[in-house]
Amino acid sequence: MNTFWKAVAQAKQETGADIQTLLSDPARDFTVSQGDVIFDYRKTAMTQAARTTLLAAAEAVVPAARAAMFNGQPINDTEGRAVLHTALRAGPDAEIHVDGADIMPGIRATLDRMGAFADQVRSGAFTGAGGKITDVLNIGIGGSDLGPAMATLALAPFADGPRVHFVSNVDGADFADKTRGLNPATTLVIVASKTFTTIETMTNAATAKAWMADVPNLDAQFVALSTADDKVAAFGIPPERMFGFEDWVGGRYSMWGPIGLSLMLAIGPERFEAMLAGARAMDDHFRTAPLAQNMPVILALVGIWHHQVCGFPTRAVLPYDNRLARLPAYLQQLEMESNGKRVTMDGQNSEGVTGPVVWGEPGTNGQHAFYQLIHQGTTPVPCEFMIAARGHEPDLDHHHRLLIANCLAQSEALMRGRSLEEARAIMAAKGFEDPEQDRQARHRVFPGNRPSTTLIYPQLTPEVLGQIVALYEHRVFVEGVMLGINSFDQWGVELGKELATALGPLVDGADASTKDASTQALLLQLRAWRGD
Ligand SMILES: O=P(O)(O)OC[C@H]1O[C@](O)(CO)[C@@H](O)[C@@H]1O
């Protein structure tokens, strides 16, 4: 058993504590803050001893791995790549070397070009065939969609540029629904793809060209965000409208650079810079804060406590912030594509479970849907609540007060629960007598002692969003390092892609007899219904 799994085994001895009892210990100050963000993990059953054990396991591996990442060493060693999304938001004076060359001048130059282009589009100096650009169509998928889509919705109160629409799914419904009502002559199309080979994106990009067929000089309204200059050129987009990045930026970590262009068009370069500054502040904190007060490290340890130590299979992300509606989906890719792996860096099977299932929805909507299971189901779900002190609608502040009350009520209810005695008293007050009183009361018992954490911030601004997203990125990194896995490759998406390519001709009618019985039968029926 390696050091990490020994620490997990040791921490297991600490499970089963009562959260409310732990909470009554004033010495257990389980909060950590950085910049505008405070993370409270007091409503978990993690003990001081368990935290000490997990911190020691983190001390053994995190500082060296963290230095290797920030210094540009090729830590993504199944692809031979450095991992430097942090360089995209490094300050103007930073110097970061890859293969002996400082990459920062190139990053700043691209950011400046993006800013100049965004200013031109937003001011109307750059026009489409029909005049000022009114709409932007961002065509991309996975990391080339989720980051900018999540952030554009999150920062909607700051959006004063063209409207931005995100097309990701190869399902034609996505393209059709997002372009309905748009004027092709005043729409800017951004083709966002690190590789410029992703079938969904390239299919949608070709469809966009067809959709714009009547626009004179339509190619002038296309922009590319990619690492693949040659493929971009072959598609017909010239270098002046390509914003490039390098392979040391992973797709799901790429919203800070060119892939964030659609967001920059919506909110403007200054606010985009503010988001970068927020992320940079979290980077600095992650690099320098002692691990016991290091917010990403603490989030990671709480995650490990719940998943590896306590054995809870999933983690719910529950922003009480409607504009963070896409955050759970964004975090699903960030966490599950990064740490959903079975094999460790040394090529061996992991000694235990790796990344959990991550899911969620904004509150309060989730309360009226799946919270039933969270409160009374058989498997505890660690909940990560998040909420701002203020919304962006001063006239509707009474809504926000209700939102805060609901958020805090949920974590309190999960922790306190309701005993059988309390439930019986309620039913007695309603006039029930045994045995019906007992039967009815049992349905109204909440087991309680269910863990949650709460992240709070003053208001969802570009700076705060930058801090929150960088916080989660580093949390995923720390979890990956402790689990001994490479968080930066994604071989698990390949097989399905290969098989889809092979199945294409079969959908069109080619002989399917080499396929298994189920696939053959499904294909034949679908082909029959299609009638082609
Ligand atoms: O930006 P690209 O190269 O089109 O890739 C899109 C997405 O596809 C994936 O490779 C998974 O299939 C993601 O990692 C990536 O974010």
Side-chain angles (χ1 to χ4, degrees):
M1 203 187 274
N2 75 21
T3 318
F4 171 70
W5 290 106
K6 277 187 195 145
V8 168
Q10 194 179 330
K12 276 187 205 263
Q13 313 293 318
E14 291 288 316
T15 55
D18 175 58
I19 299 173
Q20 291 186 87
T21 310
L22 292 175
L23 252 178
S24 62
D25 174 4
R28 183 176 169 272
D29 180 21
F30 278 17
T31 57
V32 57
S33 62
Q34 153 55 28
D36 297 316
V37 185
I38 298 175
F39 179 68
D40 181 310
Y41 59 111
R42 285 176 287 191
K43 293 195 191 87
T44 69
M46 187 193 265
T47 62
Q48 303 254 34
R51 194 182 83 134
T52 304
T53 301
L54 295 177
L55 268 172
E59 286 286 2
V61 289
V62 172
R66 182 181 55 189
M69 178 174 75
F70 279 100
N71 294 339
Q73 289 173 35
I75 59 170
N76 173 2
D77 76 348
T78 59
E79 297 181 302
R81 293 175 183 170
V83 174
L84 278 171
H85 48 280
T86 50
L88 298 176
R89 58 212 190 202
D93 303 329
E95 239 185 68
I96 300 170
H97 294 266
V98 174
D99 297 331
D102 183 5
I103 58 171
M104 287 314 298
I107 288 175
R108 295 306 309 181
T110 302
L111 200 57
D112 289 346
R113 278 184 59 225
M114 286 168 63
F117 180 68
D119 282 339
Q120 283 182 342
V121 172
R122 287 161 55 82
S123 69
F126 176 98
T127 55
K132 187 172 180 182
I133 296 295
T134 55
D135 296 89
V136 173
L137 202 60
N138 187 92
I139 297 178
I141 197 164
S144 299
D145 165 74
L146 285 164
M150 176 275 293
T152 301
L153 176 59
L155 300 179
F158 301 91
D160 52 7
R163 292 178 294 256
V164 183
H165 315 269
F166 292 88
V167 174
S168 54
N169 203 318
V170 74
D171 184 342
D174 200 14
F175 189 91
D177 289 350
K178 300 288 171 47
T179 51
R180 192 169 298 122
L182 300 194
N183 177 2
T186 57
T187 298
L188 182 75
V189 178
I190 296 180
V191 185
S193 176
K194 179 175 170 179
T195 55
F196 233 68
T197 58
T198 304
I199 188 75
E200 291 91 335
T201 299
M202 299 326 295
T203 303
N204 278 321
T207 299
K209 276 205 175 178
W211 175 70
M212 292 174 73
D214 295 338
V215 174
N217 196 17
L218 69 95
D219 283 339
Q221 284 174 231
F222 274 74
V223 170
L225 318 173
S226 185
T227 60
D229 317 31
D230 51 341
K231 297 190 177 71
V232 168
F235 185 79
I237 299 177
E240 62 270 21
R241 282 197 315 286
M242 170 178 172
F243 298 92
F245 55 106
E246 303 293 330
D247 67 6
W248 34 255
V249 179
R252 53 192 173 276
Y253 298 87
S254 63
M255 60 178 260
W256 316 101
I259 292 294
L261 182 64
S262 49
L263 169 67
M264 189 191 267
L265 287 163
I267 65 172
E270 291 77 21
R271 294 177 183 130
F272 191 84
E273 281 280 0
M275 183 183 76
L276 299 189
R280 180 157 68 244
M282 188 57 74
D283 293 344
D284 292 343
H285 166 81
F286 177 49
R287 288 158 79 123
T288 55
L291 298 198
Q293 283 91 47
N294 194 307
M295 194 180 276
V297 172
I298 294 297
L299 255 80
L301 297 190
V302 172
I304 286 167
W305 166 259
H306 286 141
H307 190 49
Q308 277 75 22
V309 178
C310 298
F312 305 142
T314 78
R315 165 193 300 165
V317 181
L318 305 167
Y320 276 64
D321 199 321
N322 211 44
R323 295 200 179 98
L324 288 179
R326 298 294 285 153
L327 185 69
Y330 174 82
L331 292 180
Q332 275 176 342
Q333 186 195 20
L334 183 66
E335 304 207 9
M336 294 165 75
E337 202 173 67
S338 296
N339 289 343
K341 317 219 165 123
R342 297 165 45 254
V343 173
T344 53
M345 297 286 267
D346 56 6
Q348 302 302 309
N349 283 341
S350 171
E351 291 181 46
V353 295
T354 57
V357 172
V358 177
W359 59 285
E361 269 287 312
T364 62
N365 295 19
Q367 287 173 209
H368 299 276
F370 53 78
Y371 277 40
Q372 164 64 43
L373 181 148
I374 289 180
H375 284 289
Q376 288 189 314
T378 48
T379 306
V381 178
C383 294
E384 298 189 350
F385 296 102
M386 46 181 81
I387 189 155
R390 278 186 294 122
H392 289 281
E393 289 70 31
D395 297 348
L396 301 177
D397 192 50
H398 58 295
H399 287 242
H400 201 80
R401 281 198 224 108
L402 268 176
L403 197 62
I404 293 176
N406 270 278
C407 180
L408 297 182
Q410 292 302 322
S411 61
E412 186 186 352
L414 284 166
M415 176 181 68
R416 282 177 43 166
R418 177 183 284 153
S419 67
L420 181 59
E421 292 67 39
E422 288 169 323
R424 281 179 71 101
I426 291 168
M427 299 320 293
K430 287 184 192 288
F432 283 89
E433 290 178 0
D434 274 341
E436 187 59 4
Q437 183 195 95
D438 182 68
R439 195 183 74 80
Q440 289 285 351
R442 283 176 191 277
H443 291 277
R444 290 158 172 81
V445 169
F446 290 68
N449 206 32
R450 297 209 156 180
S452 69
T453 60
T454 306
L455 189 83
I456 60 170
Y457 42 93
Q459 193 177 36
L460 192 60
T461 60
E463 290 89 342
V464 167
L465 183 71
Q467 290 173 48
I468 292 174
V469 177
L471 167 65
Y472 275 94
E473 285 181 348
H474 294 319
R475 179 241 195 110
V476 168
F477 171 72
V478 172
E479 288 192 357
V481 167
M482 293 184 72
L483 290 161
I485 58 185
N486 177 0
S487 300
F488 300 102
D489 60 12
Q490 55 283 320
W491 297 109
V493 301
E494 293 302 321
L495 181 58
K497 284 186 194 171
E498 283 166 26
L499 293 178
T501 305
L503 265 156
L506 276 53
V507 175
D508 292 340
D511 175 28
S513 59
T514 55
K515 290 291 171 190
D516 62 85
S518 162
T519 306
Q520 266 191 60
L522 293 168
L523 200 52
L524 286 177
Q525 185 60 62
L526 288 166
R527 282 198 322 215
W529 278 335
R530 284 172 59 80
D532 54 26

